[in-house]
Amino acid sequence: MADNAEYEYDLLVIGAGSGGVRAARMAAASGARVAIAEDRYLGGTCVNVGCVPKKLYSYAAHFHDSFDDAAGFGWQLPGPAVFEWSVLRDNKTSEIKRLNGIYQRMLEGAGVVLLHARATVTGAHTVSLASEEGVTQVTAQKILLATGGWPWVPDFPGSEYTVTSNQIFDLDAFPERFLVLGGGYIAVEFASIFNGLGSETHLIYRGELFLKGFDEEVRAFTRDEMSKKGVNLHFNTNIERIEPNGSAFNVYLTNGDVQEVDAVLAATGRNANTQGLGLEALGIHLDSSGKIPVNARYETAVPSILALGDLTQGPELTPVALAEAMQLVDIHFNETLPKPLDYATIPTAVFCHPNIGTVGLSEEAARENIGKISVYSADFKAMKHTLSGSQERTLMKLIVDDATDVVVGAHMVGEEAGELIQGIAIAVRAGLTKEDFDRTIGIHPTGAEEFVTMRTATRN
């Protein structure tokens, strides 16, 4: 690219999370002079307080079921299994430190300058950096905002006694009684995790059913399976107030109930992390949902200032931020015009117990947007549980456009659903038909083969 001697850097990235690090590395690989500013931790939410530690804790929680399941296969444990919270917590911390080091080495290896400072955008090409050494100014031809999201907690009496997903991994003591407020990904995942680890767990949600926006059958099936595993679900209610009770808390609900618990997780959503960036002064205003509007080139109202990931509209998922970073670098530094991202067929997983995996349209969205569809579904006990004694069931379903026979949606609730749905997502993204699924030979005996053996529509 052309040498822009007028500026110290060709690209200055604010935020060393997944999207920011990928954009910095790829831009540097194209020959750009790149710096990245971060005042907290390398790797962002995903590595430090998001998907990585959450999945590690989910693995830990699954052992509870595995120990129970083993008896039906002839395994006798010498005594009751004992869970040590401090071991999990501290081993997690060590792993995160290892990953932080990997991110630093990746950036340094790519030639990216790492600035340990709090960044504020002060102009179209200028950034103020505040650190222990003081405040300095740097200039860049382009500035990329990649600061991700931050937990939001509603205001009610005693809300200060809640913890967010930023703190939940590092509690000093394991909460024997645990309450989650919320109904999204984070809420159902942590309700399952702490239930699996041995907490008496309650989930409080103001609506009729959690996981709004997911397929209705998937939502109801997940509700029933989580209930069977012992999670206490309280719908159509909310927290009125929280009062301390010694080392515990009394949580007063709007339905009149009072729950005494040891910890309350507020999993009530995340907002774009824009505080202190200086956007308003530059004429960059947030939209009605609190996001930064960008065009197809990831440009904000100030064209030299770019934004991606959780700061902008679109799925708040790590792989989406990574893909957007690659697109952005191609557009601005490789001078190519990549194909637009297909946001309609982005697969996702919810690591509740059992897991959810989904891609494409829900049954409800398909009926609204397509019209005539066929639904193929299977609800069964996995072969593993014929001996384990577990009552856990698995749900799989395909949504098919009657006019074209194309599979427009695939959904699963069951063990390793996220792993399985990744392969199905390729088929849905490629526009394969139900006939293509039918002509594919299944792998026997697996649960996955159900996706290619469902021959009769359960409903139209």
Side-chain angles (χ1 to χ4, degrees):
M1 60 181 296
D3 181 26
N4 296 292
E6 179 183 353
Y7 306 109
E8 295 170 68
Y9 300 105
D10 300 311
L11 175 67
L12 175 61
V13 181
I14 302 177
S18 300
V21 168
R22 177 64 61 86
R25 291 175 56 222
M26 295 302 101
S30 74
R33 299 165 300 162
V34 182
I36 189 165
E38 175 58 60
D39 68 339
R40 189 170 290 110
Y41 33 53
L42 299 181
T45 295
C46 180
V47 167
N48 294 276
V49 291
C51 29
V52 171
K54 177 190 67 182
K55 191 68 182 291
L56 293 175
Y57 281 37
S58 179
Y59 285 138
H62 274 294
F63 281 105
H64 181 276
D65 286 343
S66 297
F67 294 144
D68 289 342
D69 293 345
F73 291 89
W75 288 95
Q76 298 297 320
L77 298 178
V82 177
F83 171 65
E84 290 288 345
W85 168 256
S86 60
V87 174
L88 172 63
R89 181 195 62 204
D90 297 348
N91 284 346
K92 176 274 304 177
T93 299
S94 296
E95 172 61 10
I96 299 309
K97 287 181 179 177
R98 186 184 73 85
L99 294 175
N100 293 152
I102 289 174
Y103 270 75
Q104 180 165 344
R105 290 191 292 275
M106 284 195 304
L107 289 168
E108 292 172 347
V112 176
V113 176
L114 181 55
L115 305 169
H116 296 283
R118 173 71 181 181
T120 301
V121 184
T122 55
H125 300 282
T126 58
V127 173
S128 173
L129 299 173
S131 66
E132 294 179 355
E133 287 73 34
V135 178
T136 58
Q137 300 284 332
V138 295
T139 61
Q141 183 189 25
K142 295 181 186 293
I143 300 166
L144 171 59
L145 308 177
T147 50
W150 197 255
W152 172 80
V153 179
D155 186 21
F156 56 82
S159 61
E160 67 271 21
Y161 298 117
T162 66
V163 296
T164 70
S165 55
N166 283 1
Q167 295 98 32
I168 193 64
F169 298 104
D170 295 303
L171 298 177
D172 290 335
F174 180 71
E176 299 292 341
R177 300 162 300 176
F178 184 65
L179 187 145
V180 182
L181 174 64
Y185 279 71
I186 296 173
V188 298
E189 288 174 336
F190 279 107
S192 284
I193 286 170
F194 278 87
N195 176 69
L197 294 178
S199 291
E200 175 193 304
T201 303
H202 298 265
L203 183 145
I204 310 297
Y205 181 53
R206 64 184 180 179
E208 293 186 3
L209 188 59
F210 51 34
L211 295 173
K212 183 179 179 181
F214 281 75
D215 183 274
E216 290 293 326
E217 188 176 8
V218 166
R219 297 170 72 194
F221 191 90
T222 303
R223 173 201 62 204
D224 295 343
E225 291 300 307
M226 286 182 64
S227 293
K228 286 193 304 189
K229 288 182 178 294
V231 179
N232 299 286
L233 302 173
H234 308 264
F235 296 123
N236 293 309
T237 191
N238 210 334
I239 294 180
E240 184 178 271
R241 70 184 188 277
I242 300 175
E243 295 179 355
N245 179 9
S247 61
F249 302 95
N250 288 337
V251 182
Y252 294 82
L253 305 181
T254 54
N255 66 2
D257 291 346
V258 181
Q259 299 291 337
E260 184 178 345
V261 298
D262 301 306
V264 179
L265 170 65
T268 44
R270 295 172 64 84
N271 290 337
N273 187 20
T274 60
Q275 188 173 4
L277 284 178
L279 303 185
E280 291 288 333
L282 299 173
I284 300 175
H285 302 288
L286 306 182
D287 63 20
S288 59
S289 62
K291 301 284 191 174
I292 299 176
V294 294
N295 61 19
R297 292 172 53 84
Y298 301 95
E299 295 169 340
T300 68
V302 179
S304 60
I305 301 177
L306 317 174
L308 55 64
D310 292 359
L311 289 180
T312 64
Q313 289 290 354
E316 296 179 2
L317 300 170
T318 293
V320 172
L322 294 172
E324 289 177 346
M326 299 293 288
Q327 293 256 316
L328 183 149
V329 170
D330 278 344
I331 292 169
H332 290 275
F333 296 95
N334 294 330
E335 299 180 351
T336 61
L337 190 60
K339 292 182 180 179
L341 292 180
D342 179 7
Y343 289 96
T345 54
I346 293 174
T348 191
V350 184
F351 296 107
C352 50
H353 300 181
N355 295 173
I356 298 170
T358 182
V359 61
L361 297 177
S362 66
E363 179 178 343
E364 294 70 37
R367 292 192 188 282
E368 180 179 349
N369 294 290
I370 293 176
K372 225 180 156 183
I373 64 170
S374 292
V375 178
Y376 298 79
S377 64
D379 174 347
F380 58 95
K381 178 185 282 192
M383 181 180 180
K384 172 183 176 180
H385 297 312
T386 60
L387 294 187
S388 75
S390 170
Q391 297 305 305
E392 180 177 305
R393 297 188 66 79
T394 296
L395 171 70
M396 295 181 178
K397 66 186 295 186
L398 295 173
I399 316 298
V400 179
D401 180 350
D402 282 353
T404 62
D405 197 42
V406 169
V407 177
V408 295
H411 310 274
M412 176 180 174
V413 184
E415 187 173 359
E416 300 291 0
E419 299 288 347
L420 197 154
I421 211 70
Q422 180 68 80
I424 300 295
I426 298 172
V428 174
R429 172 69 183 82
L432 299 188
T433 65
K434 183 62 171 63
E435 183 183 7
D436 291 321
F437 276 68
D438 294 343
R439 288 175 58 83
T440 300
I441 304 299
I443 302 171
H444 185 75
T446 65
E449 68 180 316
E450 291 290 335
F451 271 121
V452 297
T453 58
M454 292 185 282
R455 294 290 190 268
T456 305
T458 52
R459 55 189 172 278
N460 296 101

